[in-house]
Amino acid sequence: MRPSLLDPLFASITKLPDLGPKRAELLATLLGREDAEETRVVDLLFHAPTRLIDRRNQPGIARAPQGAIVTVTGRVDRHQPPPRENRAAPYRVFLHDETGELALTFFRPKANWLDKALPVDEIVTVSGKIDWFNGRPSMVHPDFMVKASEAAAMPLTEPVYPLTAGLTPKVLRKVIGHALERIPDFPEWIDASLLSKQGFGSAKSAFERLHEPRDEADIDPQSPARRRLAYDEFLAGQVSLALVRQRLRKVAGHPVRSSGVLSEKILAALPFSPTNSQKLAVSEILQDMASDMRMLRLVQGDVGAGKTLVALLAMAAVVESGGQAVLMAPTEILARQHHATLSKMAEAAGISVEVLTGRTKGKEREAVLERIASGAAQIVIGTHALFQDTVIYHNLMLAVVDEQHRFGVHQRLRLTSKGVSPHMLVMTATPIPRTLVLAAFGDMDVSKLTEKPAGRKPIQTVTVPSERIGEIVARLKTAIAEGKKAYWICPLVEETEESELTSVEERFDTLARSLNAPIGLVHGRMKGDEKDAAMLAFKTGETRLLVATTVVEVGVDVPDATIMVIEHAERFGLAQLHQLRGRVGRGAEASSCILLYKGPLSQNGKARLSILRDSEDGFLIAEEDLKLRGEGELLGTRQSGTPGFKIASLEAHADLLEIARKDAAYLLERDPDLTSERGEAVRTLLYLHRRDEAVRFLRAG
């Protein structure tokens, strides 16, 4: 049960004053919740400001620097409405102080509003950003305007928050003010010696300082209030991951003992021999599974490092031990692709491989379920469908999860509750820096595949400004005529008014006209079978060019595709670009990747594209990406299972993550059921951070 102390924070935002249904829905959108009823007051507390408006800067009109937020007090001289024939022209109001004249500029203001707000000859105080144009200062839509006699009521410092269309800063600040009033005095969940060593105040005072910053230093990620809240967030995450792990480890695993006969048959039939890092990963996995503790291992391998073979050899060992193994993929396409690859490789050892996805229906589904229940299906590959309640396993000993960051912790648990207690092997092609592994998975054992399989040629990567797109299309035309295959990646599905990015559908149309060759289209809004058909046509060579969004990022295998064009490359994360590039260079032919960018590039943009151009080492690229962009983007979008922190940041607070990990381990070693005074306080922390699932494990014991 959530402690009653937190009830005021877990009330729906619809209960707050001054908030009608429309505004409540806008807030729900801003805070990433499904609807207003589900959005809680606590969500507002974790919506942190990004900068500060400081109105104490009052240099006088003539001395106001370009681009600065300044406050000006002066006398209104005259109004200059737009001419009748051009209503789109701005409305200007001129005022002066002893240093000079300032034009206040408004676009399409409501009739008479400015006459009332800024009457001629009135002395007023206005605040906003200064722009100098042809030696004259102007302020477009001041964010504050009052009569000078009322200026004392103007807040001198004001936090600026991320917003959504239709929601004003004023409304958001007011609502957050109501949320702050509801904060109780929390019990202290941080160890006393750590509190004093880090100079942390209470959690309540940290929230208040976060939302009522007094100067720029309070907005800095290294401010004591932000560090305190970041630590709380890390601690909640590390305790819940440790509880999940404690629960998974509590149930003994089934030792897997195999002589390696099946693995030898599989390896003998392969046209290549495994790399040293593949051999090492397999031996680490077999060692883990041989003990009666459950294995929890993460295999990180760069694109094309051969994770699939490692998984298959682990599954073969389980089959030899008389057990079953499942491999869960994030999408239908990937599941079917894994099935095609693995069944071919497993055939040599006589292992039966089944596939089960949401699209396996009717009699076919019943037959597959029957073979799973009887044990005739030794390896089962599929999507989320693998852990629906209707699926009963004969003897599930190993669960392999592909592309881990697309599955949340709770889905992992549901999967592991299927067998008595299967071993867990998680595979990801996103090389994740250690801090991120800790944040997302806790103390998982990690195997790294660092070599590329023999015969893989390096991919030549070039950066080209988008003005030269015509040359690229011409070269593509020649390549397709020579029988080559290419991908063309776009960032958006359809054109929106405010976006200049070329949509996938529009690019598909222009390329179809220019190339005069059969081309395919794939994007996230298409139905599953439409996507599959387009992918299949590309794989078989019916189409030679596939225009797509990042749907193809994860794992579609077309070994003879050798050209990858990525449009608006500056819009993608480094790790994502690296993943996309890994779709080519899978066969014996030399491959190339063309990064089309729209200039001018920022410093950061230049740095990102040059790292990619100069390196194919996914681990190096991931570390650089973390420095440049932050953890939210590194794992693709913030999906379930990614550590989507609200306050904490892995770049700014990595030192705290390490402390939180040790603290969580120490706490649970001393107090595994969280029943001590500090343990009870940590339970409150878990509820505050919506980690209810973790608390349930305590009860389930």
Side-chain angles (χ1 to χ4, degrees):
M1 287 283 287
R2 186 192 302 127
S4 55
L5 170 86
L6 295 178
D7 288 350
L9 295 183
F10 279 84
S12 164
I13 55 164
T14 55
K15 303 282 184 285
L16 292 173
D18 308 320
L19 201 60
K22 191 171 175 217
R23 282 176 174 172
E25 284 302 335
L26 287 171
L27 273 175
T29 305
L30 176 68
L31 301 169
R33 297 282 168 204
E34 290 295 310
D35 59 43
E37 281 303 324
E38 281 305 298
T39 312
R40 307 283 170 217
V41 174
V42 71
D43 295 329
L44 287 163
L45 295 181
F46 288 114
H47 188 65
T50 49
R51 58 188 184 86
L52 186 77
I53 290 177
D54 189 342
R55 296 205 174 84
R56 292 170 296 194
N57 184 13
Q58 304 188 16
I61 292 171
R63 292 186 287 272
Q66 163 63 26
I69 302 264
V70 299
T71 302
V72 169
T73 299
R75 186 182 294 278
V76 178
D77 295 325
R78 66 188 193 282
H79 283 233
Q80 184 186 309
R84 282 224 166 114
E85 63 278 7
N86 183 9
R87 286 290 172 210
Y91 188 119
R92 290 195 168 87
V93 178
F94 293 88
L95 57 90
H96 74 276
D97 67 4
E98 65 279 6
T99 71
E101 185 181 63
L102 173 68
L104 305 179
T105 305
F106 302 87
F107 291 93
R108 299 182 184 277
K110 290 198 179 107
N112 303 338
W113 169 64
L114 288 172
D115 288 334
K116 288 184 188 139
L118 299 166
V120 172
D121 276 346
E122 182 76 57
I123 293 179
V124 295
T125 298
V126 295
S127 181
K129 187 169 146 204
I130 286 284
D131 282 308
W132 283 84
F133 191 68
N134 286 344
R136 309 179 89 148
S138 115
M139 189 183 282
V140 179
H141 287 275
D143 56 27
F144 217 90
M145 304 191 307
V146 286
K147 292 179 178 164
S149 55
E150 296 162 15
M154 177 175 76
L156 290 174
T157 57
E158 209 172 313
V160 178
Y161 293 90
L163 285 169
T164 187
L167 196 65
T168 64
K170 199 171 175 183
V171 168
L172 181 61
R173 284 194 296 269
K174 203 167 188 181
V175 175
I176 286 175
H178 291 312
L180 289 172
E181 288 162 12
R182 288 173 166 245
I183 300 180
D185 290 312
F186 299 110
E188 187 49 77
W189 43 73
I190 297 183
D191 182 67
S193 61
L194 182 66
L195 270 180
S196 67
K197 188 177 174 188
Q198 290 287 343
F200 289 156
S202 69
K204 181 179 182 175
S205 67
F207 276 120
E208 288 166 347
R209 177 53 52 87
L210 177 75
H211 292 289
E212 292 165 359
R214 291 174 304 202
D215 51 40
E216 283 292 337
D218 287 340
I219 294 283
D220 190 311
Q222 297 303 342
S223 72
R226 290 223 175 199
R227 280 180 65 82
R228 156 84 215 216
L229 295 173
Y231 186 77
D232 289 350
E233 199 166 10
F234 282 150
L235 185 63
Q238 292 300 306
V239 169
S240 48
L241 284 166
L243 285 171
V244 166
R245 199 176 175 78
Q246 181 177 290
R247 166 77 184 281
L248 292 180
R249 297 272 192 197
K250 230 177 219 178
V251 191
H254 278 289
V256 171
R257 302 205 166 88
S258 75
S259 60
V261 175
L262 295 181
S263 297
E264 275 164 26
K265 286 183 180 171
I266 291 168
L267 290 171
L270 291 176
F272 56 86
S273 41
T275 64
N276 288 330
S277 51
Q278 280 175 315
K279 287 178 192 161
L280 178 64
V282 172
S283 76
E284 287 170 338
I285 290 164
L286 294 180
Q287 204 176 334
D288 283 2
M289 293 199 298
S291 89
D292 47 17
M293 287 279 280
R294 292 174 70 182
M295 170 176 75
L296 268 178
R297 185 170 282 279
L298 177 69
V299 176
Q300 286 186 275
D302 208 343
V303 176
K307 294 178 297 298
T308 318
L309 178 62
V310 171
L312 178 60
L313 295 175
M315 295 193 282
V318 166
V319 170
E320 204 175 299
S321 251
Q324 283 171 302
V326 299
L327 187 153
M328 185 162 86
T331 65
E332 175 100 22
I333 292 177
L334 256 184
R336 299 215 175 256
Q337 186 174 299
H338 274 311
H339 179 247
T341 315
L342 290 171
S343 48
K344 214 179 290 166
M345 288 157 90
E347 203 175 354
I351 299 173
S352 79
V353 184
E354 296 280 353
V355 64
L356 179 71
T357 69
R359 267 200 270 145
T360 318
K361 296 272 194 292
K363 287 213 164 63
E364 185 194 352
R365 186 181 183 82
E366 281 166 33
V368 174
L369 291 178
E370 208 168 291
R371 288 197 292 275
I372 293 173
S374 71
Q378 295 164 305
I379 292 178
V380 189
I381 295 171
T383 51
H384 300 70
L386 292 173
F387 52 48
Q388 285 164 352
D389 297 336
T390 50
V391 188
I392 313 286
Y393 292 90
H394 177 67
N395 179 18
L396 181 58
M397 288 170 79
L398 170 66
V400 182
V401 181
D402 187 20
E403 285 300 332
Q404 163 56 34
H405 62 269
R406 320 228 161 195
F407 292 105
V409 173
H410 314 312
Q411 287 158 308
R412 296 209 297 258
L413 283 164
R414 271 174 66 193
L415 186 63
T416 52
S417 64
K418 278 289 173 192
V420 185
S421 49
H423 298 284
M424 283 287 292
L425 182 65
V426 168
M427 307 196 297
T428 174
T430 310
I432 312 175
R434 183 170 181 280
T435 41
L436 254 184
V437 172
L438 269 184
F441 313 116
D443 268 349
M444 214 169 201
D445 303 311
V446 179
S447 297
K448 279 186 176 183
L449 301 180
T450 50
E451 305 155 81
K452 287 221 169 168
R456 284 278 167 100
K457 292 210 167 97
I459 301 164
Q460 189 200 359
T461 305
V462 292
T463 50
V464 177
S466 51
E467 293 80 41
R468 289 172 51 199
I469 198 163
E471 292 170 38
I472 302 300
V473 175
R475 280 170 56 191
L476 205 54
K477 195 170 183 172
T478 312
I480 289 172
E482 288 167 3
K484 296 199 165 117
K485 281 188 190 172
Y487 292 96
W488 187 295
I489 307 294
C490 302
L492 274 189
V493 177
E494 60 195 28
E495 199 70 69
T496 52
E497 280 191 22
E498 61 274 13
S499 164
E500 293 173 19
L501 302 187
T502 307
S503 78
V504 157
E505 283 155 349
E506 191 190 333
R507 179 57 68 215
F508 173 77
D509 288 341
T510 56
L511 286 171
R513 285 199 298 274
S514 314
L515 297 173
N516 198 15
I519 71 175
L521 173 68
V522 172
H523 58 69
R525 304 241 180 108
M526 288 162 72
K527 291 199 178 77
D529 43 2
E530 291 175 345
K531 271 190 238 174
D532 286 1
M535 293 284 195
L536 189 66
F538 183 55
K539 205 176 163 109
T540 57
E542 263 179 69
T543 56
R544 292 265 152 206
L545 173 69
L546 189 63
V547 181
T549 53
T550 51
V551 217
V552 300
E553 167 194 353
V554 181
V556 179
D557 201 18
V558 183
D560 58 344
T562 55
I563 300 167
M564 168 66 71
V565 181
I566 303 173
E567 197 167 347
H568 281 288
E570 77 280 2
R571 295 291 180 126
F572 293 94
L574 259 182
Q576 197 178 26
L577 287 170
H578 178 63
Q579 287 275 309
L580 286 165
R581 173 171 66 180
R583 298 291 109 227
V584 295
R586 296 173 156 249
E589 273 201 71
S591 295
S592 55
C593 172
I594 297 142
L595 304 173
L596 280 172
Y597 65 88
K598 186 171 167 47
L601 284 177
S602 62
Q603 263 327 98
N604 198 325
K606 274 190 194 132
R608 289 210 332 256
L609 294 185
S610 65
I611 289 162
L612 203 76
R613 200 177 49 219
D614 301 339
S615 172
E616 275 195 65
D617 176 346
F619 288 97
L620 172 90
I621 287 169
E623 292 286 355
E624 291 298 329
D625 207 11
L626 185 60
K627 284 181 208 155
L628 291 169
R629 277 165 67 92
E631 71 283 350
E633 333 259 319
L634 187 56
L635 297 180
T637 50
R638 293 175 177 255
Q639 301 182 19
S640 63
T642 63
F645 297 117
K646 300 278 193 285
I647 309 282
S649 134
L650 289 180
E651 309 95 299
H653 306 125
D655 62 315
L656 295 176
L657 176 60
E658 197 56 51
I659 299 167
R661 178 180 71 88
K662 289 178 179 155
D663 193 7
Y666 173 78
L667 172 70
L668 290 170
E669 205 175 293
R670 300 274 171 119
D671 180 13
D673 298 319
L674 298 183
T675 48
S676 64
E677 188 182 345
R678 184 180 175 208
E680 287 291 346
V682 168
R683 283 174 180 242
T684 304
L685 169 74
L686 291 172
Y687 279 115
L688 178 69
H689 283 270
R690 291 179 176 255
R691 300 276 187 171
D692 309 29
E693 290 271 347
V695 187
R696 276 187 214 125
F697 292 133
L698 280 168
R699 290 203 298 278

